[in-house]
Amino acid sequence: MIRFIAIVAAAVLLPLATAAQPCPGNPQALGTARVLEVDAIATPRVGRKQFPSTLPLNDKELVLNFDDGPWPTTTPKVLDALKHECVQATFFLLGRNVEAHPAVARRELAEGHSLGHHTFSHPLLSHMPLAKAEAEINRGIAADEYALYGQRRSDPATPFFRFPGFVSSPALLAYLQDRGIVVFGADVWASDWLPMMPDQELHLILSRIDKVGRGIVLLHDTKAHTARMLPAFLRELKRRGYHIVHVVPPGSRRILN
Ligand SMILES: [Zn+2]
C-alpha cells in the first residue's frame, strides 16, 4: 500500500516538478518562458527598427540581446544578474574582445546563452570595399569560434549576426543570407551607448518596452550603467508581466518546459 501511494504521489508530483522550471535561490525569478528556433530561411532579417518584420513573438514576449562584449569589468555582472533570474539572452560578440577575454565568452556559453557575432573590431561595414567587409565579418566569426569551440570555423555554430551601428548594405545582406546567417536588428533599445545614470536608463528602456509591447531588446554588456541597472530591470519586467524568449539556431532546441 505504501509503495502504491508512493507511485501515485510520484505520478502526481512529476508533472508539477517539470512544469515549474525552478530557479535556484530565487523562487520569484523572471525565468525563461520558451525557446524559439530562428533560421535564415524563415526569418533572414529581424527587428523593426531596421527591417520590415521581426521575430514571431506574442504580446509581452521579449528577447534580450547584449552587444559589443565580452568586457571583463561589466559582462560578469550582466551574467550574474541573468543567472540570478534564470534568464537566457543572446550576446553579439566582438572578435577583438573575445580574443582578449576568452574566459568571459566561455562563461557565457557555459551558462547557456546564445552567442552571435558582431564583427572583429566594430567598423561600419558599408564604409569599406565589399571584400574587406566580408573579411571583417569572417575574422570576427573565426575569433569567436576559436575561443568558444577551439576551431577557427567560418560557418558559425550560432549563425546570428548584427551589423555594427546597424549599418548594412544590400550586398552584405545578400552575402549573409546566402550563408544562412540571420541578421538581427532590434525592436527597442536603451540608447545605452550614451552616458546616463542606471535609473535614467531603467525608466527609458521600460517606457520604450511598454510602448512596443514585445520584441528584441538591445543592450550593451560593455556599459557599466547597463550592468548596474540590470537586476532592477529584470525584476521590473517580471512585475509588469513580460516573458523572456531564448532564441537559438535550428536543431538546438532544448527542453525548458
Ligand atoms: Zn556594437
Side-chain angles (χ1 to χ4, degrees):
M1 184 63 186
I2 288 169
R3 193 164 166 209
F4 173 72
I5 290 168
I7 290 167
V8 170
V12 171
L13 287 174
L14 197 63
L16 291 175
T18 52
Q21 183 77 9
C23 187
N26 185 4
Q28 302 305 316
L30 173 59
T32 300
R34 71 180 177 108
V35 175
L36 176 66
E37 290 188 354
V38 177
D39 72 73
I41 296 165
T43 51
R45 296 151 200 171
V46 291
R48 288 191 202 277
K49 288 269 195 190
Q50 295 78 27
F51 304 115
S53 59
T54 190
L55 293 168
L57 297 173
N58 300 315
D59 192 33
K60 293 230 147 186
E61 284 189 336
L62 303 174
V63 170
L64 299 186
N65 285 184
F66 293 89
D67 277 14
D68 294 0
W71 200 248
T73 53
T74 48
T75 304
K77 290 177 185 155
V78 167
L79 288 169
D80 289 346
L82 294 173
K83 193 175 186 178
H84 182 66
E85 295 287 341
C86 289
V87 163
Q88 303 301 137
T90 302
F91 290 83
F92 286 82
L93 305 170
L94 275 189
R96 180 177 64 189
N97 289 345
V98 170
E99 274 191 0
H101 315 290
V104 186
R106 286 196 285 267
R107 182 181 162 192
E108 292 170 343
L109 183 69
E111 294 184 1
H113 302 291
S114 290
L115 300 179
H117 309 276
H118 194 44
T119 74
F120 184 79
S121 58
H122 214 274
L124 298 181
L125 295 179
S126 69
H127 296 199
M128 58 175 66
L130 184 60
K132 202 174 165 197
E134 291 174 4
E136 171 67 33
I137 291 170
N138 291 326
R139 189 179 172 200
I141 289 171
D144 300 344
E145 297 291 306
Y146 183 70
L148 294 169
Y149 312 105
Q151 287 181 302
R152 290 193 184 277
R153 294 157 50 102
S154 57
D155 57 326
T158 299
F160 298 168
F161 180 81
R162 181 176 282 112
F163 282 92
F166 300 109
V167 180
S168 66
S169 70
L172 285 169
L173 287 169
Y175 170 73
L176 291 164
Q177 189 167 4
D178 285 350
R179 291 183 55 189
I181 296 176
V182 181
V183 174
F184 277 71
D187 295 300
V188 57
W189 52 55
S191 301
D192 62 348
W193 48 83
L194 302 171
M196 61 177 82
M197 298 303 290
D199 265 8
Q200 248 183 314
E201 182 182 351
L202 180 64
H203 290 119
L204 180 65
I205 187 69
L206 287 169
S207 68
R208 288 177 176 175
I209 287 172
D210 283 343
K211 242 176 246 160
V212 298
R214 72 181 78 180
I216 302 163
V217 179
L218 175 62
L219 298 161
H220 290 78
D221 56 303
T222 50
K223 297 295 179 188
H225 44 274
T226 294
R228 281 177 58 198
M229 73 112 203
L230 203 63
F233 173 60
L234 298 175
R235 284 195 300 271
E236 192 57 24
L237 290 183
K238 165 96 176 181
R239 202 184 69 77
R240 296 186 187 202
Y242 286 99
H243 305 287
I244 301 300
V245 175
H246 182 204
V247 292
V248 298
S252 59
R253 182 192 291 269
R254 289 167 306 153
I255 296 164
L256 280 182
N257 304 306

